[in-house]
Amino acid sequence: MSLSDISRFSSGSLDDLAKGKRAVLYEELAEYFYLFARRGALRQSSVQQEIDYHIGNLVLVSLYFDVVLIQTATIFNATDPFVRKVADGVLVHPKFREMLDANALKIVGWGGNTPRDMFQAAEGFSRSAADSAPNADRFDAVASVFNSQSTVSRTSDQPDADIDVLFRNRLEQTTIIRRPEELAAVNSALEKSMEKTGQLVAVSFNPELNKLELSSQGADAVGVSFIQSWHDHLTSEIPGVITYAPLTNPVFVDQKVVVSQSVIRSFLYSPQIFASFLGGYLRAKDFNEILKRPYSDLMVVKNGDWARFVDAYHEAIEVVSSNVGHLTHAELSADQFGQDSTWATNISAAVDSSSDQADVNAFIESLAMLSGLIFSIPFLGAAAKSVGSLFGKTVNQTFHTLRQNATLEISPFINKLLRHYQLEGVRA
């Protein structure tokens, strides 16, 4: 294997990067999401559809974060042919490369402080973790992504130990797998998978899990517990970097992350939520137009107005999180959406108390989008629709009126985005 194209110059430090910028870890491309949360995509989608999905997500998160991070493990710890093709397609996508060049996206690795060290560490680990060694040609093809500008070093040591402890804790909390013999079987599969690397890794754990005769519901519970344990670990292991929980499973609504000493529901940082928010300003073809143009065009409009927009959006996430904090997928009930809903009352109070803020309209827009989104989240939809009239009176009508009265001037950045790309917008 040729490593001649990989830079020997030192990369920046993740600690230094996280201190001065809003950073987000993009894990949806990781194989464990496909194995445990998005397995339906393997049957119902195509490689190109998945590539487009991830590229769209990356562009979206870059609109409200300073830098998007993808781990070397996400790229190399993939054994499923479908997932590997998707990852490779994302890596060679022009938009991905443009984001790297613009420093809006970086690869984060371990094993040293140069791309060469991190690349070799990732290759060695993936070969030891997987049952079948990846094709060496794939590493050659991916090597061109790695240079000192496009990578950041997380640590020189091999990180991510003791995730199995978090996994066992999560698994014990599930209400689906309760029989002792089932838990013992999962634990045995875990021990066997860890004999290869000493760590809990999806590419070695999943084959052992597939050997068990668990029900589909039980297997899903194990997979969700696996993902949650990784999020628990990453949240504490990489402070200053957001790891969000995408809306791929109901229980992810309970995932939390600490930001500026505030506990926030991490799914609120997902691009699905932001796409819903952005839908108040842009049509689908508008966003497609943004994707068609070089990413450098987008960087042109990310200036002072953009910084104020990002501040307003993140502030909205914090406030919205505090107002939906009582919602859990297990405790959801119709009376929570009634006329005396605590959530509705708190949101109304938040709007009133925020009326003197400079960018309050962007804040209100966020709340409006999220209140409407309740009806589009599958696991909330049934409960919400059962009391739809009351829910509409308490929340949606109020924010629908606010939203209709808003103008494009509520966000100079959005307005500038529309002008720069010559987009129609929803109010065209």
Side-chain angles (χ1 to χ4, degrees):
M1 182 185 71
S2 173
L3 297 176
S4 59
D5 293 334
I6 305 174
S7 174
R8 298 171 184 268
F9 296 100
S10 294
S11 301
S13 163
L14 180 59
D15 289 339
D16 292 339
L17 179 70
K19 288 177 183 176
K21 294 184 177 182
R22 280 194 174 96
V24 60
L25 195 62
Y26 187 74
E27 289 283 280
E28 284 196 68
L29 187 59
E31 184 173 82
Y32 65 79
F33 267 113
Y34 279 96
L35 295 177
F36 301 133
R38 298 182 63 215
R39 68 177 78 237
L42 297 174
R43 301 187 299 268
Q44 302 170 3
S45 188
S46 68
V47 170
Q48 190 58 52
Q49 283 179 314
E50 293 300 305
I51 292 172
D52 293 341
Y53 168 78
H54 292 297
I55 293 298
N57 276 355
L58 291 171
V59 173
L60 280 170
V61 293
S62 76
L63 280 170
Y64 55 106
F65 280 97
D66 294 296
V67 61
V68 186
L69 302 170
I70 296 180
Q71 296 195 87
T72 52
T74 295
I75 297 171
F76 295 116
N77 291 349
T79 57
D80 183 273
F82 181 89
V83 178
R84 192 179 293 173
K85 288 178 181 178
V86 172
D88 290 351
V90 170
L91 291 175
V92 300
H93 195 283
K95 192 71 65 176
F96 186 92
R97 300 302 181 96
E98 290 167 5
M99 292 182 71
L100 284 176
D101 292 340
N103 289 320
L105 180 128
K106 290 183 181 292
I107 307 298
V108 56
W110 57 269
N113 62 355
T114 70
R116 183 184 182 89
D117 293 338
M118 290 184 280
F119 183 93
Q120 290 178 318
E123 178 198 13
F125 186 86
S126 64
R127 289 185 180 279
S128 65
D131 284 334
S132 58
N135 192 315
D137 290 340
R138 179 171 186 259
F139 288 98
D140 284 338
V142 174
S144 60
V145 172
F146 289 76
N147 59 58
S148 55
Q149 175 183 296
S150 61
T151 59
V152 290
S153 176
R154 176 178 164 192
T155 175
S156 294
D157 302 320
Q158 181 173 308
D160 303 326
D162 300 327
I163 300 178
D164 58 299
V165 176
L166 296 172
F167 172 68
R168 288 188 175 97
N169 291 338
R170 279 287 189 178
L171 198 59
E172 289 174 358
Q173 296 171 19
T174 181
T175 58
I176 297 174
I177 301 179
R178 301 311 313 159
R179 290 193 299 145
E181 56 270 28
E182 285 185 313
L183 288 173
V186 175
N187 275 307
S188 177
L190 172 60
E191 294 294 341
K192 290 179 181 178
S193 72
M194 291 180 61
E195 290 176 0
K196 299 175 182 178
T197 62
Q199 293 182 207
L200 174 58
V201 185
V203 292
S204 58
F205 177 58
N206 190 58
E208 298 298 333
L209 181 64
N210 287 339
K211 296 176 185 177
L212 305 181
E213 295 183 357
L214 296 177
S215 65
S216 59
Q217 191 178 31
D220 286 343
V222 173
V224 167
S225 298
F226 179 98
I227 296 174
Q228 289 180 314
S229 65
W230 266 96
H231 278 247
D232 293 341
H233 168 74
L234 292 171
T235 297
S236 61
E237 183 75 7
I238 315 180
V241 177
I242 301 296
T243 305
Y244 70 84
L247 295 174
T248 51
N249 191 292
V251 297
F252 291 150
V253 75
D254 288 336
Q255 287 293 122
K256 297 180 176 66
V257 62
V258 178
V259 179
S260 301
Q261 299 182 334
S262 298
V263 178
I264 299 177
R265 291 295 176 86
S266 64
F267 81 92
L268 293 173
Y269 286 106
S270 69
Q272 294 97 324
I273 295 289
F274 184 69
S276 176
F277 166 80
L278 208 58
Y281 303 95
L282 305 180
R283 299 183 181 186
K285 65 178 182 179
D286 288 340
F287 183 66
N288 290 334
E289 180 62 29
I290 292 175
L291 286 180
K292 289 178 184 177
R293 300 264 288 274
Y295 190 77
S296 56
D297 277 4
L298 195 58
M299 294 299 292
V300 170
V301 294
K302 290 175 67 171
N303 50 28
D305 292 329
W306 173 75
R308 290 193 293 272
F309 167 76
V310 171
D311 286 344
Y313 186 75
H314 280 260
E315 179 186 359
I317 286 177
E318 292 185 23
V319 178
V320 170
S321 183
S322 68
N323 289 311
V324 300
H326 71 287
L327 292 175
T328 69
H329 75 284
E331 299 171 349
L332 210 58
S333 59
D335 59 355
Q336 289 177 308
F337 295 99
Q339 194 67 36
D340 298 324
S341 165
T342 303
W343 182 29
T345 302
N346 287 347
I347 287 181
S348 298
V351 171
D352 292 338
S353 65
S354 301
S355 59
D356 59 342
Q357 294 183 8
D359 208 359
V360 65
N361 287 319
F363 165 72
I364 291 174
E365 286 276 72
S366 300
L367 293 173
M369 295 296 177
L370 290 169
S371 66
L373 189 68
I374 292 297
F375 288 100
S376 66
I377 300 177
F379 62 91
L380 290 178
K385 289 175 182 176
S386 67
V387 287
S389 59
L390 287 177
F391 184 72
K393 289 178 181 177
T394 15
V395 180
N396 273 352
Q397 286 182 355
T398 300
F399 290 111
H400 178 72
T401 300
L402 289 169
R403 184 166 168 237
Q404 288 300 107
N405 291 338
T407 65
L408 289 177
E409 282 71 32
I410 65 172
S411 173
F413 172 69
I414 292 293
N415 198 22
K416 188 176 297 182
L417 195 67
L418 291 168
R419 291 198 309 268
H420 180 76
Y421 284 96
Q422 297 181 329
L423 305 177
E424 292 184 12
V426 296
R427 298 179 180 86

